Structures are given as C-alpha cells and as structure tokens.
Amino acid sequence: MYKVRIQPQWTLENSDGVGLSSPLVDLLLAVRATGSLAAAARQAGVSYRYAWGRLQDAQAVFGQPLLRMSRGRGASLTAIGERLVWADSRIAARLSPLLDSLATELEAELERTVGAHARPLRVHASHGFGVETLRRAMAASDVALDLKYRSPDDALAALRTGACDIAGLHLPIGTLEAPLFAHYRPRLDLDADRVIHLAMRRQGLVLAAGNPLGIGTLQDLERPDIRVIHRQPGSGTRLLFETMLASHGIAFDRIRACDVEELTHAAVAAYVASGLADVGFALEPPARRYGLDFHPLVTEHYFFLCHNDVLESGRLRGLLDLLRSEGFRHELGLLPGYDPSRCGQVQTLPDAFAAARP
C-alpha cells in the first residue's frame, strides 16, 4: 500500500515583502512549553544563535518583539507571539481533516492504478476523533481505505447512490434521538440497513480555561456578552446544536455569533483557545488538547451505516475485525469522552434505536 501525507503550511509577509522563516511557529511553541529560549532551541533542533536570529527577523516583520526576555526568569510570548501560535493551530485544525481525506483519496487512486490490493473500502463520514483513530489504525494494518469527510446528509446520499460502502452518522441518546432520527428517516432503509457501532461520545460547551464568564447552561448563551463560535450549516453537530436550542425554547438567531463558522471540532476549540470566542459546541478531545474547560451536554452514538448486502459480501470483514480488536478499543477509549464498549457491534436500525421502531 501507498501512504500519502499532506501537511498544512503557511507563510506571512509584511507590506515590504519581508517574510517569516518557516520554523518560527515551532520555536514559539517550544518557548511556551519550556519557558526558555535556550531550551526551546534545543527542542526545535537549532542553535541558540539561529533561534535568536529568526526572532529578530520576525521582529523586523511586525515591528515588535515576539518574546519577553527576563534575566533569570526565562522567556514568554508577547501578544503577537501568542496570536501567531493560535493562527497556526487554527490553520491545522481547519485544514488537517480535509488534507487527510484528500490523502486517502490519492492513496486509493494509486492502489487502483498500480496496486494489487482489493478495491479500497469507501467510507463517507462526518469528521470525528474516533474516525481519525480508525483511519490511522486501518493504515497501520494495511487495510485499503478511501475515506471522504462528509456531512451526515451527504454521506447518506452517497450511500443511497452507491458512491460509498458505509456512511458515518451520529445520533444523540435520550429525548433528542427522535427529532434527529426523523431528519434522516427518508434516506434510511429500516429493513436492509445495518448499524456498525463505533463509539459513544460526549458533546458539550467548550469554554475558556477556568470558565471566567461562568457559562454553564444553554440559556447562558443568550447573554449579550457571550461570543459563540458555530459549526457550519449542514454539519451533524450544527443540526444537533440547533435541535438542542429549540428543545430549550432558545432561538438560534438570539445568540451572538462570531463572524465565521468552523468546519471541525478542533477548529471550534482552537477559536475559543485563541480568545476570539467565549464558547463553542463541540467534542471533548480538542477542549482537553488546548487546555480548555468542557461542560458535557449530550452523549451520542457514532456509528456506520451499510446495506446488508455489503455486510454479507464479506468486504467489511477486515473493518469489523479491527473494530472488535482489544488494541483498537483501547486506543478509542483513550479519547476523552469516548466509550468504546459497543465498538464493532452490528445491529438493525430498530434494534439499535428506539426511534426506528413502530
């Protein structure tokens, strides 16, 4: 099998065309982690002189320093240094899932052209950390995969037209299951579709560290001093969030939203961590990654849907073996807020969800 890796990179120049050198952000991240420019240089694998030179270049670009240097007290980032670090985090959070999806498409094209492997398993799924864990595990196991990150609606449409073999969806546990299931019901086959469970996972409010604004409920989001970063329309999380608001009698347009809408859970968390928003609705792992507070509001099933013919054809045997393996379940369970106890279990829709029963 072939492995394609695509990493996001960015450049920045001032009006005179003077730009920043490429390892600068890594150096700033190391300074933040170590509190020392000398230690940061060692961590980044460069000399102190080189690191100092790159910081001087950056100061020429911005007209102000990126570090505060204190004799005997180490180094810390200035406001512009922090902004560069969070800009890099937002770029990676927004683009990495798209680039990972493109990488698997290129891998699949190479396999079809020159490889001797069987046709890759075609998966259309909304992005999540469980799916990302599965992508890495399948790559490590040399299981051919053609993964495209799509909204649940688009994934279901692809499943119904035969453009993919399995589609990733998520449904909340509890009273919100029925309205969300009703949204997808016209594109479901209650007799022939099969549910392959991946994990139960928590979604909730992603908040600044220490929750300085005291946000604890959905009603708090109506306060005029609260800035909320939303997911994009059409995403499963946006649909879930709007349904939750409606169940609490909260009008979506009464919330003070930021000017942008993000494409991933990690991008929502990075936006809050950068100070550009006070709260977002997302999964727990990126909140923990960025040192943010997380207030859980709902647990949901993330699962794959396939037609029974695909299941009985044996094409999913490698996937099911992986999902049921102790090693994969262990990796999945390490994700904050993820419960892998039903991972790999196969059910009919009525057996899996009460909303599917007559």
Side-chain angles (χ1 to χ4, degrees):
M1 286 186 61
Y2 298 91
K3 300 292 189 297
V4 177
R5 294 179 178 85
I6 310 174
Q7 300 295 327
Q9 291 185 335
W10 58 287
T11 60
L12 187 148
E13 297 179 349
N14 64 11
S15 58
D16 297 326
V18 179
L20 298 179
S21 55
S22 56
L24 179 67
V25 172
D26 288 341
L27 186 63
L28 294 176
L29 285 167
V31 169
R32 180 202 268 174
T34 64
S36 163
L37 180 56
R42 289 193 297 271
Q43 182 173 309
V46 299
S47 68
Y48 183 91
R49 181 177 180 180
Y50 179 87
W52 180 253
R54 300 294 72 76
L55 289 168
Q56 293 304 108
D57 293 343
Q59 183 167 334
V61 172
F62 290 104
Q64 53 184 293
L66 276 63
L67 291 187
R68 299 184 190 90
M69 305 288 289
S70 303
R71 184 179 297 275
R73 300 178 64 182
S76 60
L77 304 188
T78 63
I80 189 63
E82 287 283 355
R83 188 57 58 205
L84 287 174
V85 166
W86 286 115
D88 184 75
S89 296
R90 288 175 57 206
I91 290 170
R94 186 178 293 182
L95 295 183
S96 290
L98 303 178
L99 297 179
D100 288 343
S101 179
L102 177 58
T104 63
E105 291 181 40
L106 296 176
E107 291 167 357
E109 289 175 14
L110 289 171
E111 288 296 329
R112 282 192 291 265
T113 303
V114 300
H117 292 270
R119 179 167 63 97
L121 181 66
R122 300 171 302 163
V123 180
H124 288 200
S126 58
H127 182 262
F129 296 88
V131 176
E132 171 59 22
T133 301
L134 179 62
R135 184 189 69 82
R136 293 196 303 267
M138 291 183 72
S141 302
D142 282 339
V143 179
L145 174 67
D146 183 359
L147 171 65
K148 292 181 174 66
Y149 287 124
R150 299 288 187 265
S151 71
D153 286 324
D154 290 342
L156 266 180
L159 184 67
R160 296 283 77 102
T161 61
C164 68
D165 300 309
I166 61 175
L169 305 173
H170 47 103
L171 285 173
I173 297 172
T175 58
L176 294 177
E177 178 190 297
L180 268 295
F181 189 88
H183 173 83
Y184 297 119
R185 176 64 184 88
R187 288 152 293 176
L188 301 176
D189 186 332
L190 297 187
D191 295 322
D193 282 341
R194 295 295 180 266
V195 172
I196 303 173
H197 290 277
L198 179 63
M200 289 173 281
R201 63 183 196 177
R202 298 197 298 188
Q203 294 218 55
L205 300 181
V206 175
L207 307 159
N211 191 14
L213 295 179
I215 301 169
T217 66
L218 287 175
Q219 285 76 11
D220 289 333
L221 304 187
E222 297 181 279
R223 288 166 38 188
D225 61 321
I226 302 297
R227 301 165 299 166
V228 182
I229 177 67
H230 291 307
R231 286 289 304 278
Q232 80 279 18
S235 68
T237 292
R238 174 69 171 262
L239 176 63
L240 173 60
F241 184 59
E242 291 184 357
T243 303
M244 291 180 66
L245 291 175
S247 71
H248 285 77
I250 301 172
F252 183 81
D253 58 8
R254 287 169 57 187
I255 294 176
R256 181 188 170 193
C258 297
D259 293 334
V260 300
E261 293 168 327
E262 290 291 4
L263 302 177
T264 68
H265 296 278
V268 167
Y271 208 84
V272 174
S274 68
L276 297 175
D278 302 305
V279 60
F281 182 73
L283 292 169
E284 188 170 350
R288 303 307 183 195
R289 177 185 303 170
Y290 291 122
L292 302 171
D293 281 17
F294 180 78
H295 182 70
L297 293 177
V298 63
T299 298
E300 59 183 1
H301 289 289
Y302 193 104
F303 60 95
F304 298 111
L305 200 69
C306 71
H307 194 278
N308 190 50
D309 290 347
V310 174
L311 186 67
E312 292 188 344
S313 71
R315 291 199 61 235
L316 303 184
R317 187 173 297 111
L319 171 67
L320 291 173
D321 289 344
L322 180 60
L323 292 176
R324 293 165 179 168
S325 67
E326 290 187 11
F328 179 74
R329 287 185 172 212
H330 175 74
E331 288 298 316
L332 203 58
L334 294 178
L335 294 172
Y338 274 69
D339 178 355
S341 58
R342 300 181 68 181
C343 187
Q345 183 179 348
V346 178
Q347 292 182 296
T348 65
L349 279 165
D351 284 342
F353 303 108
R357 300 165 197 158

